[in-house]
DNA sequence: GCCGACAGCGATTCCTTATG
DNA sequence: CATAAGGAATCGCTGTCGGC
C-alpha cells in the first residue's frame, strides 16, 4: 500500500467516514446526492426479443457490463454508471462504476448519474470503485444498491483541477497495469495451448522425432510410430464397470466420486458425497480411470485418474461414471494423458448419442474406439517427460496468476490511495508531456 | 423505485426400461 | 433377473420481470 513512490499530503483531517479515513485538509466530503442528478427514471429495460429487433452499435448496459448493442439511445452525454443489482460490489478487483461518454441505452440494473460541475465524472468513477459497499448494499438473495442508499454514499473531493490531475494520473497508471495484466493473461493462454499441444503431440508421435512412422489408418490419429500398436481401447482394459446407482448423502463411510470431481485428468476431492456401504468389487484402486459417460456434449468423455488417497481407505464412484481398469499392456497415467487429448475426445464425442441438453456415450462403443499404444517402457518414458514438462508449465502458469492477482491488488489500492488523498500525485507528469503539471 | 419471484437453461443426479 | 443404457427429474445459477 505505502510502497508507492508518491508522498502523502502535508496535512490531514479526519473525514468522519470510515472507508475514507483521514483526508487532506483542503478536501471536502460530499454525498452523492449533492454532486449528481439521478437519471434512473429514464432507464428502460429491453428483453432479448426486443433487443433482437433493434440490433445496432449503441451499447445496451446491464448491471455490470455492456450486455448487447442496439440501434437506439436514451443518453448521449458524459455520465457515471453504477451497478444497482447483481454488480460485484464486494469483489475488490472488479469495477462497479463506469464512465460513459457516448450514446448508451441502460437497463434498470445500473444507476445513471449526471455529475454536476463541482466534480469530475472520472474522479467520481474512480471513487465509486473504491467505496466499501457493505453499509450500502442490501437484499437477501441478491446484492442491491438502492437509490437512496447510493445517494448517501460519501466521497471526498479536492478542488476540480486537482481531481483532473488525479484522474489523469490514474488513467495512465491503470492502463499501464491493465496492459501488464493482459500481457500476463496472454502468456497464460499461450502456456495452456502449449501444454495441450505438447501432450497431444507426444502421445501420438512419441518422443523420438526420427522414428519411422506409419499411417495408423485412423483419421484422428494420422501417422504414428511404426512400432506402436493400433488397437481398440478395450484391448488394453481389464474391465469396464458402472458405478453405484443409489442416493448419496453428505455424510457416510465411503466417498462416492461424481462427475464434478473429475477435471483436467485429475480427481478433485471437494464437495464429496457418501454412502455407507459398497460391494467390494466397486472400490477404486490405484491406477483406475473414471470416465464420464453422460453429460453435456462438451464434457462427456472426460477421464480422471484415481490415485490412492490417505484420507479415505475405500472410495467408490457414481453410476454416471465408468471405471476403466487398464490391463498389463497399458500404463494408467499414459491412458489418462491419451484419453483426454482434444482429438481423441472429439472422436469419442462424435460417438455419443445426443438427447436434449445431454449426451450419452455408450461405454461399449467408447471401448471400441481405436487408439495407438506404444510399448510399456515407452509409455513410461512419455509419462516422465510429460509429468516433468507439465509441472514446469503449471508452475509458470500459477506464477503468472499470482502476479496478476498482485497487479490487481496494486491497481485497486493505488486507486483508493489516490481518491482518498493518501498519496499526493500533484507532481505527476503525464507520459509524453515535458512539463510538470502544476495544480494548486 | 424496490424487491421478491421465477423462467430458462446447463449441469448433475436419479430412476425406469430394455435386453440378454 | 440383473445390469447396462438412456432419459427424466432436479438442482442451482443468472438475468429478467412485474407487482406492490
Amino acid at each position: 500500500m505505502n510502497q508507492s513512490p508518491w508522498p502523502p499530503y502535508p496535512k490531514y483531517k479526519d473525514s468522519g467516514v470510515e472507508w475514507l479515513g483521514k483526508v487532506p485538509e483542503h478536501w471536502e466530503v460530499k454525498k452523492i446526492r449533492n454532486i449528481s442528478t439521478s437519471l434512473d427514471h429514464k432507464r428502460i429495460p429491453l428483453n432479448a426479443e426486443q433487443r433482437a429487433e433493434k440490433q445496432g452499435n449503441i451499447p445496451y448496459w446491464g448491471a455490470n457490463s455492456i450486455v448487447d448493442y442496439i440501434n437506439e439511445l436514451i443518453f448521449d452525454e458524459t455520465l457515471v454508471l453504477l451497478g444497482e443489482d447483481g454488480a460485484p460490489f464486494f469483489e475488490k478487483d472488479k469495477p462497479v462504476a463506469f464512465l460513459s461518454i457516448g450514446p448508451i441505452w441502460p437497463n434498470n440494473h445500473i444507476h445513471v448519474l449526471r455529475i454536476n460541475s463541482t466534480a469530475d465524472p472520472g474522479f467520481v468513477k474512480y471513487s465509486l470503485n473504491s467505496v466499501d459497499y457493505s453499509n450500502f448494499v442490501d437484499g437477501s438473495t441478491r446484492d442491491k444498491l438502492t437509490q437512496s442508499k447510493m445517494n448517501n454514499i460519501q466521497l471526498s473531493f479536492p478542488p476540480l483541477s486537482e481531481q483532473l490531475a488525479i484522474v489523469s494520473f490514474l488513467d495512465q497508471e491503470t492502463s499501464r497495469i491493465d496492459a501488464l495484466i493482459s500481457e500476463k493473461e496472454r502468456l497464460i493462454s499461450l502456456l495452456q495451448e502449449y501444454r495441450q499441444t505438447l501432450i497431444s503431440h507426444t502421445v501420438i508421435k512419441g518422443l523420438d522425432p526420427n522414428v519411422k512412422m506409419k499411417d495408423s489408418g485412423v483419421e484422428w490419429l494420422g501417422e504414428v510410430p511404426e512400432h506402436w500398436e493400433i488397437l481398440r481401447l478395450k484391448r488394453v482394459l481389464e474391465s469396464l464397470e458402472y458405478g453405484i446407482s443409489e442416493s448419496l448423502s453428505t455424510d457416510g463411510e465411503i466417498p462416492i466420486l461424481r462427475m464434478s470431481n473429475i477435471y483436467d485428468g485429475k480427481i478433485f476431492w471437494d464437495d464429496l458425497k457418501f454412502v455407507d456401504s459398497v460391494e467390494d468389487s466397486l472400490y477404486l484402486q490405484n491406477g483406475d480411470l473414471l470416465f464420464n459417460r453422460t453429460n453435456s456434449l462438451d464434457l462427456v468423455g472426460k477421464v480422471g485418474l484415481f490415485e490412492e488417497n490417505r484420507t479415505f481407505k475405500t472410495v467408490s464412484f457414481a453410476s454416471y461414471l465408468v471405471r476403466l481398469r487398464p490391463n498389463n499392456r497399458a500404463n494408467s497415467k499414459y491412458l489418462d494423458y491419451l484419453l483426454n487429448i482434444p482429438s481423441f475426445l472429439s472422436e469419442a464425442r462424435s460417438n455419443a448419442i445426443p438427447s436434449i441438453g445431454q449426451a450419452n456415450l455408450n461405454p461399449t462403443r467408447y471401448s471400441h474406439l481405436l487408439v495407438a499404444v506404444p510399448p510399456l517402457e515407452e509409455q513410461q518414458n512419455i509419462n516422465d517427460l510429460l509429468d516433468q514438462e507439465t509441472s514446469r508449465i503449471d508452475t509458470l502458469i500459477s506464477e503468472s496468476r499470482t502476479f496478476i492477482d498482485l497487479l490487481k491488488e496494486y491497481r485497486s489500492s493505488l486507486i483508493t490511495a489516490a481518491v482518498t488523498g493518501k498519496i499526493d500525485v500533484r507532481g505527476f507528469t503525464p507520459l509524453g508531456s515535458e512539463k510538470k503539471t502544476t495544480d494548486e
Side-chain angles (χ1 to χ4, degrees):
Chain A
M1 315 273 150
N2 250 344
Q3 294 142 337
S4 107
W6 301 97
Y9 279 85
K11 273 194 171 171
Y12 284 90
K13 64 180 179 192
D14 192 359
S15 68
V17 181
E18 200 175 330
W19 77 271
L20 289 171
K22 288 187 185 308
V23 297
E25 205 173 27
H26 64 292
W27 288 32
E28 267 186 83
V29 173
K30 293 178 189 170
K31 289 189 173 177
I32 293 292
R33 69 165 80 256
N34 296 323
I35 55 112
S36 68
T37 310
S38 168
L39 302 177
D40 284 2
H41 58 284
K42 294 194 173 177
R43 305 173 301 181
I44 302 171
L46 298 175
N47 63 30
E49 200 183 319
Q50 294 168 308
R51 299 200 304 269
E53 288 168 13
K54 293 178 191 286
Q55 285 297 297
N57 54 13
I58 293 165
Y60 174 85
W61 275 82
N64 56 19
S65 62
I66 295 168
V67 177
D68 209 343
Y69 290 88
I70 60 175
N71 60 12
E72 282 181 58
L73 61 89
I74 300 179
F75 303 107
D76 189 4
E77 61 181 299
T78 298
L79 298 165
V80 170
L81 307 178
L82 175 61
E84 176 170 341
D85 50 7
F89 290 109
F90 302 109
E91 290 173 63
K92 263 286 155 209
D93 58 332
K94 290 191 186 158
V96 293
F98 306 88
L99 186 64
S100 168
I101 49 177
I104 54 164
W105 183 305
N107 74 11
N108 55 333
H109 299 286
I110 190 158
H111 295 294
V112 179
L113 295 171
R114 179 186 287 149
I115 308 302
N116 69 27
S117 60
T118 63
D120 175 66
F123 186 83
V124 174
K125 172 200 77 175
Y126 281 122
S127 295
L128 286 174
N129 280 325
S130 290
V131 170
D132 172 6
Y133 283 96
S134 53
N135 295 322
F136 301 105
V137 166
D138 33 37
S140 51
T141 51
R142 163 181 255 100
D143 292 339
K144 167 123 182 169
L145 178 64
T146 65
Q147 203 172 87
S148 62
K149 290 282 177 69
M150 172 183 74
N151 277 321
N152 286 326
I153 293 173
Q154 292 172 300
L155 306 176
S156 61
F157 294 92
L160 199 53
S161 57
E162 199 173 327
Q163 290 179 39
L164 292 171
I166 292 169
V167 168
S168 87
F169 166 76
L170 286 177
D171 283 349
Q172 182 174 311
E173 289 301 297
T174 55
S175 73
R176 251 188 56 210
I177 296 167
D178 289 345
L180 276 175
I181 290 173
S182 58
E183 211 172 279
K184 282 286 163 191
E185 278 167 350
R186 183 167 152 66
L187 175 65
I188 289 173
S189 75
L190 286 173
L191 285 167
Q192 283 167 334
E193 209 175 294
Y194 170 63
R195 187 185 196 282
Q196 190 52 258
T197 309
L198 177 75
I199 295 172
S200 294
H201 183 269
T202 313
V203 296
I204 293 175
K205 308 292 179 197
L207 295 169
D208 178 2
N210 301 317
V211 73
K212 195 146 186 256
M213 304 294 279
K214 67 176 175 193
D215 182 7
S216 66
V218 183
E219 202 178 337
W220 70 269
L221 267 173
E223 295 217 316
V224 299
E226 196 177 45
H227 63 290
W228 289 19
E229 273 190 281
I230 310 295
L231 34 77
R232 302 207 180 273
L233 179 58
K234 66 174 189 174
R235 302 286 303 283
V236 299
L237 298 179
E238 174 190 312
S239 67
L240 200 134
E241 297 284 338
Y242 278 67
I244 62 161
S245 176
E246 59 184 275
S247 306
L248 312 176
S249 66
T250 47
D251 51 23
E253 294 298 310
I254 302 158
I256 301 302
L257 296 174
R258 297 168 296 150
M259 52 171 102
S260 51
N261 298 113
I262 298 178
Y263 180 71
D264 203 17
K266 300 186 192 68
I267 305 291
F268 288 82
W269 296 86
D270 36 18
D271 194 20
L272 288 174
K273 295 218 175 169
F274 301 84
V275 297
D276 283 325
S277 68
V278 170
E279 69 176 283
D280 295 1
S281 67
L282 290 178
Y283 289 148
L284 290 169
Q285 68 185 45
N286 204 31
D288 282 347
L289 294 159
L290 293 174
F291 133 78
N292 189 186
R293 66 179 180 85
T294 176
N295 207 325
S296 56
L297 190 58
D298 57 337
L299 292 172
V300 79
K302 63 180 177 174
V303 170
L305 173 63
F306 175 81
E307 288 172 306
E308 262 164 358
N309 172 293
R310 253 177 229 171
T311 322
F312 303 105
K313 220 162 67 201
T314 53
V315 180
S316 192
F317 56 106
S319 68
Y320 31 86
L321 300 179
V322 174
R323 180 182 65 194
L324 314 175
R325 182 166 286 172
N327 63 22
N328 58 12
R329 304 172 73 176
N331 173 299
S332 294
K333 182 171 254 174
Y334 181 79
L335 282 184
D336 190 33
Y337 277 124
L338 173 65
L339 301 181
N340 279 310
I341 68 173
S343 48
F344 179 77
L345 281 175
S346 74
E347 174 67 14
R349 284 169 190 159
S350 73
N351 280 279
I353 297 162
S355 67
I356 309 153
Q358 76 185 346
N360 283 290
L361 179 46
N362 179 309
T364 311
R365 276 183 89 167
Y366 180 75
S367 71
H368 276 80
L369 292 171
L370 289 165
V371 292
V373 180
L376 266 180
E377 192 190 338
E378 199 172 340
Q379 292 178 34
Q380 187 60 54
N381 293 339
I382 288 174
N383 289 346
D384 291 346
L385 175 100
L386 289 179
D387 286 352
Q388 185 188 324
E389 282 297 296
T390 55
S391 87
R392 207 174 59 87
I393 295 167
D394 291 344
T395 305
L396 289 173
I397 289 173
S398 82
E399 281 170 0
S400 299
R401 292 222 167 98
T402 307
F403 189 57
I404 288 175
D405 289 345
L406 284 174
L407 285 169
K408 286 181 172 170
E409 218 172 278
Y410 173 64
R411 187 186 197 283
S412 90
S413 66
L414 186 70
I415 293 172
T416 304
V419 298
T420 60
K422 301 297 175 294
I423 54 174
D424 182 354
V425 301
R426 287 175 295 182
F428 161 72
T429 311
L431 268 185
S433 85
E434 302 303 304
K435 62 175 177 18
K436 243 178 127 173
T437 47
T438 47
D439 284 36
E440 301 312 291

